[in-house]
Amino acid sequence: MIILVLFIFQAIPITYADTTWTMYGGNLENTHFQAMRGAMSTAPYVKWSYVTGGAVESFGATVADVDNDDTMEVIAEDCGVCCFNGITGVMKWKKGFPVGDGSVWTSPAIANIDGDNTMEVVVGGSNNKIYCLNGTTGLVKWSFLTGSNVSSPAIADVDNDDTLEIIVGSRDSTIYCLNGITGLMKWSYTTRGQVQSSPAIADVDGDNTLEIVVGSRDSTLYCLNGVNGMIEWSYITKDDVYSSPAIADIDGNDTLEIVIGSDNTFYCLNGVNGTVKWSYSTKNKAWFSPAIADMDKDDTMEVVVGSCYDSTLYCLNGTNSIVKWSYNTGDYICRNVSVADLDMDGTLEVLVPNGTNSLTCLNGKDGIVL
């Protein structure tokens, strides 16, 4: 397989935090929104590509300066983990796991976990392990064995101890919180089904403590206390929850909402107590994760969601779920969209990966193909 990277962003004065995509969904809230603006003035073209040694799973690469050389690197999976120079595409290191140890089945998560001024890269393998790698060399710092394959990890200080934790779900039905420095388990919570959803993390109830929101294939969305893993609330849907939740104040009421897909429906829940604020039903499976941003600059968030086999992308008003626009791709949509201002025109674009290896770019205001 081939990794094709289209670098359509060019440097403009922004903060460092805005230039990275360090974990699944781009941030802890899983909004799939990139604050960095692009400067693309022509049709997209391939700046570099890399021929891998095996299949490249579509969990998503991450971007950060992992080795303190003032250049962004791209971290992606290739029957292991690869680190590429973001400018040239030249491989800087590759961590291939031993025979029988499996391949990488998650998006990498990146942070300076142990305070040593060097980034760490955290990934999950098909061998049921979570690995923490040195971002400069790719060497393993620690690993943790779960009971099955894991979801894409998230990294945050969830218990206010000034140490970062790793939060990850597993198909062994368990959500794990690990000490980021040692890899030792701090707490775990067991659901009644496989956890393939990746966690979203935020203070959803305003108590100055982070909560962890994650779905399970027991048809339930869980909100857990970040300090001890105790359940704060749960919401039962009509089917398995494969989708990873997205968190934002989408209706401007100064309270966070959570958007999640299950069965053929996307649900907007009150972050404080998990009650439904609205729901929107599509014509087919709601498996992938929502993107959230102010698409049309009306000071109200929109929710962009797709339905797998009805081939349609929907842009919903975040306050009331009214459809602002929809776009039929003519192909199935089973991967996450991303949102950014690609051409620095002040209007957000939506990148839609289609089922037959193509990428569509839509105007975020009206859904018209660019």
Side-chain angles (χ1 to χ4, degrees):
M1 295 289 291
I2 299 176
I3 298 175
L4 296 179
V5 181
L6 307 182
F7 275 93
I8 47 186
F9 298 139
Q10 297 180 7
I12 57 175
I14 48 180
T15 63
Y16 176 81
D18 288 337
T19 67
T20 60
W21 188 281
T22 57
M23 63 188 71
Y24 176 87
N27 49 43
L28 285 172
E29 296 84 10
N30 286 347
T31 59
H32 291 87
F33 170 66
Q34 170 61 278
M36 180 181 180
R37 292 180 296 161
M40 183 175 137
S41 58
T42 63
Y45 61 93
V46 178
K47 299 198 78 169
W48 56 259
S49 64
Y50 176 79
V51 180
T52 73
V56 179
E57 300 291 347
S58 52
F59 298 104
T62 49
V63 179
D65 179 6
V66 297
D67 56 8
N68 292 323
D69 64 351
D70 296 320
T71 300
M72 292 293 174
E73 284 77 40
V74 177
I75 309 297
E77 72 274 13
D78 167 23
C79 299
V81 187
C82 298
C83 175
F84 300 95
N85 182 298
I87 297 174
T88 64
V90 173
M91 182 183 291
K92 303 187 83 168
W93 54 258
K94 176 177 179 178
K95 176 57 184 174
F97 299 119
V99 175
D101 244 14
S103 57
V104 172
W105 279 12
T106 72
S107 287
I110 302 170
N112 181 10
I113 294 174
D114 54 11
D116 62 353
N117 297 317
T118 299
M119 293 289 191
E120 281 72 44
V121 177
V122 180
V123 295
S126 61
N127 61 342
N128 310 338
K129 288 183 179 180
I130 304 164
Y131 293 92
C132 178
L133 310 178
N134 182 297
T136 301
T137 63
L139 295 176
V140 175
K141 302 189 87 167
W142 55 257
S143 65
F144 177 85
L145 180 64
T146 74
S148 189
N149 298 337
V150 299
S151 65
S152 294
I155 304 173
D157 179 7
V158 297
D159 56 6
N160 295 322
D161 66 349
D162 296 321
T163 300
L164 292 176
E165 285 78 42
I166 314 299
I167 309 297
V168 66
S170 172
R171 295 189 188 187
D172 66 5
S173 305
T174 304
I175 301 155
Y176 295 91
C177 175
L178 308 180
N179 182 300
I181 296 175
T182 64
L184 297 176
M185 187 172 70
K186 302 187 82 168
W187 56 257
S188 65
Y189 181 87
T190 301
T191 73
R192 298 179 303 277
Q194 296 180 354
V195 180
Q196 294 177 242
S197 171
S198 295
I201 300 175
D203 179 7
V204 298
D205 56 8
D207 65 351
N208 296 316
T209 300
L210 291 177
E211 282 76 40
I212 296 153
V213 184
V214 63
S216 172
R217 290 186 63 185
D218 61 5
S219 306
T220 305
L221 183 73
Y222 295 88
C223 179
L224 305 180
N225 184 295
V227 175
N228 53 31
M230 299 293 292
I231 190 167
E232 298 200 353
W233 55 258
S234 64
Y235 178 77
I236 299 176
T237 70
K238 298 176 183 178
D239 201 353
D240 296 349
V241 182
Y242 292 99
S243 169
S244 297
I247 302 175
D249 177 9
I250 64 174
D251 56 8
N253 67 345
D254 297 322
T255 300
L256 292 178
E257 285 78 41
I258 298 159
V259 184
I260 189 74
S262 176
D263 49 88
N264 67 335
T265 302
F266 287 92
Y267 301 87
C268 174
L269 307 180
N270 184 308
V272 175
N273 54 30
T275 56
V276 178
K277 303 190 79 169
W278 56 254
S279 63
Y280 182 82
S281 294
T282 69
K283 297 177 183 178
N284 206 282
K285 297 296 185 181
W287 281 345
F288 85 105
S289 302
I292 300 176
D294 182 1
M295 305 299 298
D296 52 11
K297 296 194 294 186
D298 64 350
D299 296 323
T300 300
M301 291 292 187
E302 281 73 44
V303 180
V304 182
V305 296
S307 182
C308 283
Y309 299 112
D310 77 358
S311 306
T312 304
L313 190 74
Y314 303 88
C315 179
L316 309 179
N317 183 302
T319 301
N320 53 29
S321 78
I322 291 174
V323 178
K324 291 198 159 187
W325 55 258
S326 63
Y327 173 76
N328 190 291
T329 66
D331 200 354
Y332 63 89
I333 308 171
C334 286
R335 295 300 175 189
N336 302 314
V337 302
S338 299
V339 176
D341 180 2
L342 301 179
D343 51 11
M344 206 164 57
D345 65 350
T347 299
L348 294 177
E349 284 77 42
V350 183
L351 291 173
V352 187
N354 299 319
T356 52
N357 306 318
S358 63
L359 186 68
T360 302
C361 182
L362 305 178
N363 184 306
K365 186 174 182 179
D366 53 25
I368 295 175
V369 178
L370 298 177

